[in-house]
Amino acid sequence: MLQYPHLETALKHHFGYDQFRPGQRQIIEDALENRDLMVVMPTGGGKSLCFQLPALLKPGLTVVVSPLIALMQDQVEALQNNNISATFLNSSLNSYKVRSREEAIMNGKVKLLYVAPERLVSDRFLPLLDVVKEKVGLSTFAIDEAHCVSEWGHDFRPEYRQLRLLRKRYPDVPTVALTATATDRVRADIIEQLGLKQPSIHIASFNRQNLYYEVRAKSKNPYSEILEIVRENQGSGIIYCLTRKKVDELTLKLQNDKISALSYHAGLSDDERSKNQTRFIRDDVRVMVATIAFGMGINKPDVRFVVHSDLPRNLESYYQESGRAGRDNEPSKCTLFFNYGDIKTIEWSINQKTDPQEQLIAKQQLRQVIDYAEGTDCRRTIQLSYFGERFPGNCGNCDNCRYPKPVQDWTIEAMKFLSCVARCKERFGMSHIIDVLRGSKNQKILLNKHDQLSTYGIGKDKTADEWRMLGRSLLHQGLIEQTADGYSVLKLNPLSWEVMRKQRSVSIAVPIVQKITWEAGNTKAADVEVLMQKLRSLRKQIADEQAVPPYVIFHDSTLKLMAQSQPKTLDEFGNLSGVGSYKLAQYGEKFLAEIQAYCQQQGLQEKTINRVNSSSYSDSPSDTELTTLDLYNQGLSIEEIAQKRNVKSGTIINHLSNLIEKKQSLDLSKLVPLERQKKIWNILEVVGDISLTPIRDNLGEGYSFDEIRLVRAKWRREKQKSLKDDIDF
């Protein structure tokens, strides 16, 4: 294996990053040795860099196959903004632009060319590639979104199958296949369909640690909860709906509530969809409400929340769609609303399929989604097990782990369940096993003489739902397996036998009625928040002048570093992650001037910014919270504090709520009258720590969300201290 000590230097020069993300360096080294590659790396993991950096270091042209016009345009804009010679050829260009770009390619002036699969394999384009190969050389074929090649993937595109001819026509040009999600079956199909030769296979962890996952039961008024999520989360968001009608209705409601939102679905014209997507990418609107037709090509790294207002069709799609949040690795939130009405809608859609096998697989995938929504195990454990990755649980960043259900020892029940699978000769699914355990007399059991098994009827003490909960947990924990051919037949594995031999115990989480919502961690320092907004405004101004998305200038994560470290020189600015040589020269002075102007205005030149990790929570108040407390104790109102600190009133309410939970001396009766506190407290005692909207529904519209939030903070504090009997009103 050759050594490449210069790679970090090239990474910083071209892209501004100081170090590679996990797995990237090994992939790039293999690419530089001209090996075929199969790369499975989750959204936000840095797949594109795995072929972009080698393209700059190897001679010749790298051809990137991309399925969507928007996707290739976004990537080319980002590369060009790093002074990298990249271009695309697609149907959006007139004949003059196509000819001029082809001429630049043949003159060796382009390092990366993005094309759609249809164009690449066309009779006109392949002869052009032959000329390029002779004149400048072909470096690599990079097949992005490679799962599109497989019928077992979630976005199958028949034209991707034709890409196999590249191997026949150019047998010596290495091929890199890249995808964000692929099961074992899909990976094998990609390798076969593209004719990869002994590829180096790289499978990164599917675990997106920065994403918070939660599932909420859909209430009678789900819109109010969606509105609450939109208002509580700063930054851009995507809301997915099952039907076009729901998309349009939800968009209109949000617009009426002064939320800048647009629709995206197949019922809109191509021009309108394109304009709406562009406005979202460029931060002209904050929320995109869409069907699953939206997002495959979205390259926006700073999406802070993704909401599925309806049940997704399969877990792979859900992973992809929810994974559009937090691609910059900043904390982001993924919420799934679930009720049984959604199931009927999806089942109707499945029944429209004409192929019986497709119907069978789609129904199995739907069952897996329901298992995820109803599951009590760690959400990551459930998701990652779908992709064949074992995760121990206790991620600390999902609803089931942050607010765990009581855990019970169900080893005896697990032994009964697994023994029944064994006695049924591993030929049946979960429903049949449960029927046997509960002593059902249905025809299928009698026909197979399963009423004569020793496990028949030994589980009458548990309901069918309880047995199903156990079965799901056994699957999620890897203690039993299930076929993936549409029939969902249960199969034992070595761990199953360990349970049956009493060598392994089984504990499962038992659901409780209440549902807790996600709360963000500490509020960031107010000065960092304000400076971030100023830097965002500057970034938006520059992006609009260049007609590119703001994230092409700098990612949010880089702006955050600027606001926290407040560099004073170009050298300090150039050391920030995300600032490469070209961007330092292009934008360094403008952003430094903005930072220095803010520091002079606030008198912060010598002040050390409190660096707060927004994904963690501390019992100690932050500097910004203590500043708010000091002003509050001076007798200023919430509005006066907000005006003085140049922040929103909601931010001050958050500060005060955090201070109450952190046991700071604060007279709540000045904010909420005692009688109203008592009424809110009584409701909390009944419904528990749930989201604000259903609490307000119980109280009536005469109560504000701010009042509820403040009293809930005190209630939480008392619960933590276990002093329920010492409430002093």
Side-chain angles (χ1 to χ4, degrees):
M1 170 68 76
L2 297 175
Q3 298 298 313
Y4 298 93
H6 66 290
L7 287 181
E8 276 75 14
T9 304
L11 176 69
K12 180 63 178 174
H13 173 72
H14 291 294
F15 297 96
Y17 300 117
D18 299 311
Q19 57 188 16
F20 291 104
R21 292 185 185 179
Q24 283 182 327
R25 198 181 210 284
Q26 182 62 55
I27 295 167
I28 290 167
E29 287 180 354
D30 284 352
L32 291 174
E33 293 182 15
N34 293 320
R35 297 190 60 178
D36 281 354
L37 299 173
M38 172 76 247
V39 178
V40 184
M41 186 177 282
T43 300
K47 289 190 305 299
S48 299
L49 189 78
C50 293
F51 62 80
Q52 290 172 350
L53 187 58
L56 301 177
L57 301 176
K58 292 170 64 177
L61 175 73
T62 291
V63 180
V64 185
V65 178
S66 184
L68 294 175
I69 290 175
L71 182 61
M72 60 178 79
Q73 288 175 338
D74 284 349
Q75 292 213 5
V76 167
E77 281 179 346
L79 287 165
Q80 290 175 346
N81 210 263
N82 276 313
N83 201 32
I84 293 168
S85 55
T87 193
F88 61 82
L89 292 173
N90 61 37
S91 57
S92 70
L93 304 175
N94 59 36
S95 57
Y96 171 76
K97 286 184 177 179
V98 170
R99 283 196 302 273
S100 64
R101 293 186 185 195
E102 288 178 348
E103 187 176 329
I105 291 165
M106 286 193 283
N107 289 332
K109 294 180 180 179
V110 176
K111 292 299 291 180
L112 287 125
L113 168 65
Y114 284 73
V115 293
E118 300 91 335
R119 177 181 290 265
L120 181 61
V121 299
S122 67
D123 291 339
R124 183 189 180 281
F125 193 77
L126 287 171
L128 173 72
L129 276 189
D130 292 340
V131 176
V132 172
K133 187 174 187 299
E134 290 301 316
K135 291 188 67 175
V136 300
L138 288 175
S139 168
T140 305
F141 290 113
I143 315 298
D144 204 5
E145 309 291 349
H147 57 271
C148 294
V149 83
S150 173
E151 289 180 332
W152 298 101
H154 58 283
D155 282 312
F156 174 55
R157 298 268 296 260
E159 57 270 18
Y160 259 70
R161 293 277 195 176
Q162 302 172 47
L163 295 175
R164 188 183 182 92
L165 67 81
L166 294 176
R167 176 44 41 94
K168 294 178 181 177
R169 193 174 182 113
Y170 310 105
D172 299 327
V173 179
T175 298
V176 180
L178 307 104
T179 178
T181 56
T183 59
D184 290 343
R185 169 177 269 172
V186 173
R187 287 198 295 269
D189 203 18
I190 291 171
I191 291 169
E192 180 186 350
Q193 294 299 329
L194 295 178
L196 303 187
K197 295 182 293 190
Q198 298 180 322
S200 176
I201 300 174
H202 297 266
I203 303 172
S205 172
F206 286 88
N207 185 10
R208 301 279 307 284
Q209 296 180 0
N210 61 311
L211 300 186
Y212 175 84
Y213 291 101
E214 69 168 0
V215 177
R216 297 192 192 184
K218 200 179 281 189
S219 65
K220 291 182 180 178
N221 183 18
Y223 171 71
S224 59
E225 289 197 62
I226 291 173
L227 181 61
E228 184 182 332
I229 290 170
V230 173
R231 285 175 169 167
E232 283 184 348
N233 290 277
Q234 297 300 311
S236 302
I238 303 171
I239 304 172
Y240 285 105
C241 305
L242 264 178
T243 64
R244 301 176 191 177
K245 181 182 177 184
K246 286 186 178 181
V247 167
D248 291 335
E249 288 174 351
L250 184 53
T251 303
L252 187 59
K253 285 182 177 180
L254 288 169
Q255 290 170 346
N256 288 338
D257 279 311
K258 312 302 181 189
I259 304 294
S260 57
L262 287 174
S263 296
Y264 190 104
H265 57 68
L268 303 176
S269 67
D270 290 346
D271 183 55
E272 191 170 3
R273 283 203 307 273
S274 177
K275 285 180 179 176
N276 287 358
Q277 178 162 302
T278 299
R279 290 187 65 194
F280 177 65
I281 289 172
R282 296 188 177 176
D283 288 350
D284 295 328
V285 294
R286 192 158 82 85
V287 177
M288 185 68 84
V289 188
T291 59
I292 57 170
F294 174 75
M296 183 177 167
I298 187 74
N299 192 28
K300 186 172 171 60
D302 56 350
V303 174
R304 292 278 74 88
F305 61 94
V306 171
V307 175
H308 280 74
S309 68
D310 303 306
L311 206 61
R313 297 170 190 274
N314 56 65
L315 270 183
E316 197 163 349
S317 295
Y318 179 67
Y319 180 86
Q320 278 278 67
E321 291 154 14
S322 62
R324 283 162 192 145
R327 293 181 58 160
D328 53 6
N329 286 320
E330 292 293 304
S332 305
K333 180 180 181 182
C334 307
T335 303
L336 168 62
F337 286 94
F338 169 62
N339 75 356
Y340 290 95
D342 297 342
I343 298 172
K344 297 299 179 187
T345 305
I346 297 175
E347 283 178 340
W348 180 87
S349 176
I350 291 172
N351 289 332
Q352 306 313 300
K353 295 178 181 290
T354 54
D355 186 329
Q357 181 66 14
E358 281 187 28
Q359 276 195 18
L360 205 59
I361 291 170
K363 286 177 180 177
Q364 182 184 33
Q365 291 174 332
L366 175 59
R367 182 74 251 170
Q368 290 166 333
V369 172
I370 297 167
D371 286 349
Y372 171 80
E374 294 183 334
T376 55
D377 296 299
C378 166
R379 301 284 179 203
R380 277 174 173 72
T381 297
I382 303 172
Q383 281 189 16
L384 299 180
S385 68
Y386 177 81
F387 295 107
E389 183 177 342
R390 293 286 173 238
F391 185 76
N394 299 319
C395 71
N397 204 24
C398 76
D399 53 351
N400 284 346
C401 289
R402 283 207 188 173
Y403 311 104
K405 286 76 179 172
V407 174
Q408 295 179 4
D409 187 326
W410 277 47
T411 305
I412 300 300
E413 288 81 359
M415 291 170 66
K416 292 178 181 178
F417 188 97
L418 296 170
S419 296
C420 193
V421 173
R423 282 168 172 74
C424 290
K425 298 182 180 178
E426 301 176 69
R427 291 171 48 206
F428 296 87
M430 192 180 297
S431 295
H432 184 82
I433 299 302
I434 292 170
D435 284 344
V436 174
L437 287 167
R438 299 194 72 245
S440 170
K441 290 182 169 56
N442 68 38
Q443 188 175 359
K444 190 175 179 182
I445 285 178
L446 299 177
L447 191 63
N448 286 283
K449 298 183 179 180
H450 287 169
D451 56 330
Q452 298 174 23
L453 297 176
S454 59
T455 51
Y456 180 75
I458 63 171
K460 289 181 179 178
D461 57 323
K462 300 290 184 188
T463 66
D465 285 341
E466 287 174 319
W467 281 116
R468 187 170 294 280
M469 176 181 66
L470 171 64
R472 282 195 204 105
S473 192
L474 292 173
L475 282 167
H476 299 156
Q477 294 182 53
L479 302 178
I480 195 172
E481 292 172 8
Q482 186 173 247
T483 56
D485 56 1
Y487 289 97
S488 303
V489 174
L490 296 176
K491 299 287 184 182
L492 303 175
N493 62 23
L495 296 182
S496 311
W497 291 103
E498 285 185 20
V499 173
M500 286 190 279
R501 295 186 188 115
K502 299 184 180 179
Q503 296 169 343
R504 178 183 290 269
S505 61
V506 177
S507 295
I508 68 168
V510 180
I512 51 179
V513 174
Q514 69 191 49
K515 197 71 179 179
I516 315 290
T517 61
W518 178 77
E519 292 288 344
N522 269 357
T523 309
K524 295 176 184 176
D527 39 17
V528 173
E529 284 182 8
V530 176
L531 181 52
M532 272 284 287
Q533 290 305 319
K534 289 183 177 295
L535 295 174
R536 281 197 183 101
S537 297
L538 174 60
R539 179 181 66 175
K540 182 76 168 77
Q541 176 189 331
I542 295 171
D544 287 347
E545 289 170 0
Q546 298 183 13
V548 297
Y551 66 80
V552 166
I553 309 300
F554 288 117
H555 281 197
D556 267 10
S557 52
T558 304
L559 295 188
K560 186 178 178 181
L561 289 173
M562 294 179 199
Q564 288 176 334
S565 62
Q566 298 180 3
K568 298 178 178 61
T569 66
L570 282 172
D571 282 346
E572 290 179 4
F573 190 86
N575 286 330
L576 297 176
S577 179
V579 182
S581 304
Y582 182 73
K583 288 189 177 181
L584 176 63
Q586 286 289 100
Y587 311 122
E589 291 184 359
K590 291 181 181 178
F591 279 86
L592 269 182
E594 188 72 29
I595 293 165
Q596 290 170 0
Y598 175 76
C599 289
Q600 289 168 5
Q601 176 189 347
Q602 300 297 319
L604 294 173
Q605 291 94 331
E606 302 302 319
K607 182 174 178 181
T608 301
I609 299 299
N610 181 33
R611 290 165 177 77
V612 179
N613 182 344
S614 62
S615 64
S616 64
Y617 190 87
S618 166
D619 283 337
S620 301
S622 65
D623 288 351
T624 188
E625 290 167 350
L626 290 173
T627 302
T628 293
L629 179 61
D630 183 52
L631 293 171
Y632 178 75
N633 288 335
Q634 292 176 30
L636 273 67
S637 69
I638 290 171
E639 290 73 20
E640 289 169 336
I641 298 171
Q643 187 174 4
K644 189 176 182 67
R645 302 204 60 193
N646 195 25
V647 297
K648 294 179 180 179
S649 297
T651 301
I652 302 303
I653 291 291
N654 279 335
H655 290 177
L656 294 173
S657 298
N658 289 341
L659 287 161
I660 291 169
E661 278 198 65
K662 294 172 183 179
K663 306 171 187 174
Q664 296 299 303
S665 178
L666 194 155
D667 186 0
L668 183 59
S669 61
K670 290 182 181 178
L671 297 167
V672 186
L674 288 175
E675 282 304 310
R676 295 175 76 80
Q677 284 188 48
K678 192 168 184 178
K679 181 76 180 293
I680 296 168
W681 195 287
N682 289 339
I683 292 293
L684 286 166
E685 287 291 289
V686 173
V687 301
D689 198 346
I690 61 174
S691 63
L692 299 177
T693 300
I695 297 173
R696 216 270 290 264
D697 289 344
N698 276 285
L699 289 163
E701 294 190 0
Y703 286 77
S704 71
F705 286 114
D706 290 343
E707 288 177 309
I708 300 168
R709 191 186 302 277
L710 290 164
V711 176
R712 184 176 66 176
K714 182 177 178 182
W715 181 84
R716 283 175 172 171
R717 184 185 73 190
E718 298 300 321
K719 287 293 178 186
Q720 290 167 4
K721 292 163 58 181
S722 298
L723 294 176
K724 297 178 183 176
D725 298 324
D726 289 328
I727 300 165
D728 180 20
F729 282 109

